[in-house]
Short mmCIF file of all heavy atoms in Angstrom, two decimals:
data_model
loop_
_atom_site.label_atom_id
_atom_site.label_comp_id
_atom_site.label_asym_id
_atom_site.label_seq_id
_atom_site.Cartn_x
_atom_site.Cartn_y
_atom_site.Cartn_z
N PRO Q 536 22.94 9.23 -26.51
CA PRO Q 536 22.85 8.08 -27.41
C PRO Q 536 24.00 7.99 -28.44
O PRO Q 536 23.98 7.06 -29.23
CB PRO Q 536 21.54 8.35 -28.14
CG PRO Q 536 21.49 9.84 -28.26
CD PRO Q 536 22.16 10.38 -27.04
N GLU Q 537 24.94 8.94 -28.41
CA GLU Q 537 25.94 8.97 -29.48
C GLU Q 537 26.70 7.66 -29.60
O GLU Q 537 26.84 7.11 -30.71
CB GLU Q 537 26.93 10.12 -29.27
CG GLU Q 537 26.32 11.51 -29.46
CD GLU Q 537 25.61 12.00 -28.20
OE1 GLU Q 537 25.46 11.21 -27.24
OE2 GLU Q 537 25.19 13.18 -28.18
N ASP Q 538 27.22 7.14 -28.45
CA ASP Q 538 28.03 5.93 -28.52
C ASP Q 538 27.22 4.66 -28.24
O ASP Q 538 27.60 3.57 -28.65
CB ASP Q 538 29.16 6.01 -27.49
CG ASP Q 538 29.95 7.30 -27.63
OD1 ASP Q 538 30.15 7.75 -28.78
OD2 ASP Q 538 30.34 7.88 -26.60
N LEU Q 539 26.13 4.83 -27.52
CA LEU Q 539 25.33 3.67 -27.12
C LEU Q 539 23.87 4.09 -26.99
O LEU Q 539 23.57 5.13 -26.40
CB LEU Q 539 25.82 3.15 -25.76
CG LEU Q 539 25.10 1.92 -25.22
CD1 LEU Q 539 25.70 0.64 -25.79
CD2 LEU Q 539 25.16 1.89 -23.69
N LEU Q 540 22.99 3.29 -27.57
CA LEU Q 540 21.56 3.51 -27.35
C LEU Q 540 21.17 2.77 -26.07
O LEU Q 540 21.57 1.63 -25.87
CB LEU Q 540 20.74 2.98 -28.53
CG LEU Q 540 21.07 3.55 -29.91
CD1 LEU Q 540 20.14 2.96 -30.97
CD2 LEU Q 540 20.99 5.07 -29.90
N LEU Q 541 20.38 3.43 -25.22
CA LEU Q 541 20.01 2.80 -23.96
C LEU Q 541 18.49 2.84 -23.80
O LEU Q 541 17.86 3.89 -23.97
CB LEU Q 541 20.67 3.54 -22.79
CG LEU Q 541 20.37 3.03 -21.39
CD1 LEU Q 541 20.81 1.59 -21.21
CD2 LEU Q 541 21.01 3.93 -20.33
N ALA Q 542 17.90 1.69 -23.48
CA ALA Q 542 16.45 1.64 -23.28
C ALA Q 542 16.16 0.76 -22.07
O ALA Q 542 16.96 -0.08 -21.67
CB ALA Q 542 15.76 1.06 -24.51
N ILE Q 543 14.99 0.98 -21.48
CA ILE Q 543 14.61 0.18 -20.32
C ILE Q 543 13.23 -0.43 -20.51
O ILE Q 543 12.35 0.17 -21.13
CB ILE Q 543 14.70 1.00 -19.01
CG1 ILE Q 543 14.22 0.18 -17.82
CG2 ILE Q 543 13.86 2.28 -19.08
CD1 ILE Q 543 14.92 0.50 -16.55
N GLY Q 544 13.08 -1.65 -19.98
CA GLY Q 544 11.86 -2.42 -20.23
C GLY Q 544 10.67 -2.00 -19.39
O GLY Q 544 9.54 -2.40 -19.68
N ILE Q 545 10.89 -1.23 -18.33
CA ILE Q 545 9.78 -0.79 -17.48
C ILE Q 545 9.96 0.69 -17.20
O ILE Q 545 10.94 1.08 -16.56
CB ILE Q 545 9.76 -1.56 -16.15
CG1 ILE Q 545 9.69 -3.06 -16.40
CG2 ILE Q 545 8.60 -1.11 -15.30
CD1 ILE Q 545 9.59 -3.89 -15.15
N ASP Q 546 9.03 1.48 -17.63
CA ASP Q 546 9.15 2.92 -17.46
C ASP Q 546 9.15 3.28 -15.98
O ASP Q 546 8.53 2.59 -15.16
CB ASP Q 546 8.00 3.63 -18.17
CG ASP Q 546 8.34 5.10 -18.42
OD1 ASP Q 546 9.52 5.47 -18.27
OD2 ASP Q 546 7.43 5.87 -18.79
N ASN Q 547 9.83 4.35 -15.63
CA ASN Q 547 9.87 4.80 -14.25
C ASN Q 547 10.43 6.21 -14.19
O ASN Q 547 10.91 6.74 -15.19
CB ASN Q 547 10.70 3.83 -13.40
CG ASN Q 547 12.15 3.79 -13.83
OD1 ASN Q 547 12.94 4.63 -13.44
ND2 ASN Q 547 12.51 2.83 -14.69
#
Side-chain angles (χ1 to χ4, degrees):
Chain Q
E537 291 84 352
D538 308 323
L539 181 84
L540 302 182
L541 179 61
I543 176 148
I545 304 183
D546 199 13
N547 64 83

